[in-house]
Amino acid sequence: MSMLIDWKDVGDEGGKGGKSGKSDFLRLNAGTHVVRLLGPPIAMNKFMVQGQDQRWRSAVCEDAENNPVTKNHGLDPSERYAINVIDRADGSLKILEGGVKVFGEFKKYFTMTGNNPGATDGADFKIVVTGAGRSKKIVTTFDRKNSLTEDEIAYVKGRGGLNKLQDIFKVTPNDELEAKLFGEEVVASVSSSPQTASADLGMEAPTSN
């Protein structure tokens, strides 16, 4: 499922508003990304598979263990998180999705300081991405503490508020999961073995759907 969580509920690495504007996702391509967190994160169990047509498809499931994809195809969903951010590269509101390698650092900041990094008095973080595909590496570090400016607050309000993450990352019902990920033909035969994307973004797979 996708649900709003507290920072203390973000997993540990190594362990298992009104109408908003158009959603824009921050793609973690190679380079340095600086973001300002906004609001609380959501947690989800997400499948991402590559079918025989080489297309990537994704779906958020209600239960990480009790679902037809895990049962019939031997695939496990990834533990994923998403949050609204201001991309310091262009000052725009975007959605950041990632695993514990990214969000675990946000949690560490909250645990060490007791401060909510997505609050009005929050923090910027630096995400450094190197390599691509299976050699892709992501390192997230605290950048600086700050307060949202009046212009930033007005900008978010002017576009209708933060992106509604729980609407964007809607849960796909169990009886629709296989069809969404594999197509009707594969569901009928239950014979496909698509390639899965790694939980730490190690493979080039879309994270915007």
Side-chain angles (χ1 to χ4, degrees):
M1 68 177 66
S2 59
M3 58 182 180
L4 289 171
I5 59 172
D6 193 279
W7 284 108
K8 63 181 176 60
D9 297 319
V10 171
D12 295 308
E13 187 173 347
K16 190 182 174 189
K19 182 179 179 181
S20 61
K22 181 180 178 181
S23 301
D24 191 6
F25 286 76
L26 177 64
R27 297 188 65 83
L28 294 180
N29 298 319
T32 299
H33 309 268
V34 180
V35 298
R36 172 51 154 88
L37 307 189
L38 296 175
I42 66 167
M44 72 191 94
N45 299 307
K46 186 176 182 181
F47 287 105
M48 186 169 287
V49 301
Q50 188 178 31
Q52 296 176 337
D53 58 2
Q54 302 305 304
R55 288 180 56 194
W56 286 99
R57 297 176 176 86
S58 66
V60 176
C61 66
E62 179 71 27
D63 191 313
E65 298 178 355
N66 185 25
N67 66 79
V69 176
T70 298
K71 178 181 178 181
N72 297 331
H73 302 271
L75 303 177
D76 295 319
S78 299
E79 177 183 347
R80 306 288 291 177
Y81 303 91
I83 192 171
N84 284 280
V85 300
I86 291 178
D87 183 357
R88 292 303 190 191
D90 58 15
S92 62
L93 178 66
K94 297 181 181 179
I95 296 171
L96 172 64
E97 180 192 342
V100 295
K101 284 191 175 181
V102 175
F103 280 73
E105 292 302 315
F106 306 156
K107 176 184 177 179
K108 286 181 182 178
Y109 172 83
F110 170 75
T111 301
M112 293 176 63
T113 67
N115 297 322
N116 179 356
T120 301
D121 294 320
D124 280 15
F125 289 83
K126 184 180 297 184
I127 304 172
V128 178
V129 182
T130 57
R134 293 182 180 276
S135 63
K136 191 174 192 178
K137 294 183 179 180
I138 300 176
V139 177
T140 305
T141 56
F142 167 77
D143 188 51
R144 66 189 180 95
K145 184 178 179 180
N146 59 51
S147 298
L148 292 175
T149 67
E150 292 184 2
D151 286 344
E152 290 169 339
I153 294 174
Y155 161 67
V156 173
K157 288 183 177 180
R159 64 182 307 286
L162 299 176
N163 295 293
K164 294 183 178 180
L165 301 177
Q166 288 177 289
D167 290 340
I168 294 170
F169 296 95
K170 287 183 178 179
V171 170
T172 299
N174 272 349
D175 59 0
E176 299 176 13
L177 267 177
E178 289 179 290
K180 183 173 183 178
L181 291 170
F182 308 116
E184 296 292 348
E185 297 80 6
V186 175
V187 173
S189 61
V190 195
S191 61
S192 177
S193 298
Q195 187 178 22
T196 61
S198 65
D200 62 355
L201 297 177
M203 297 183 65
E204 293 296 337
T207 57
S208 59
N209 53 8

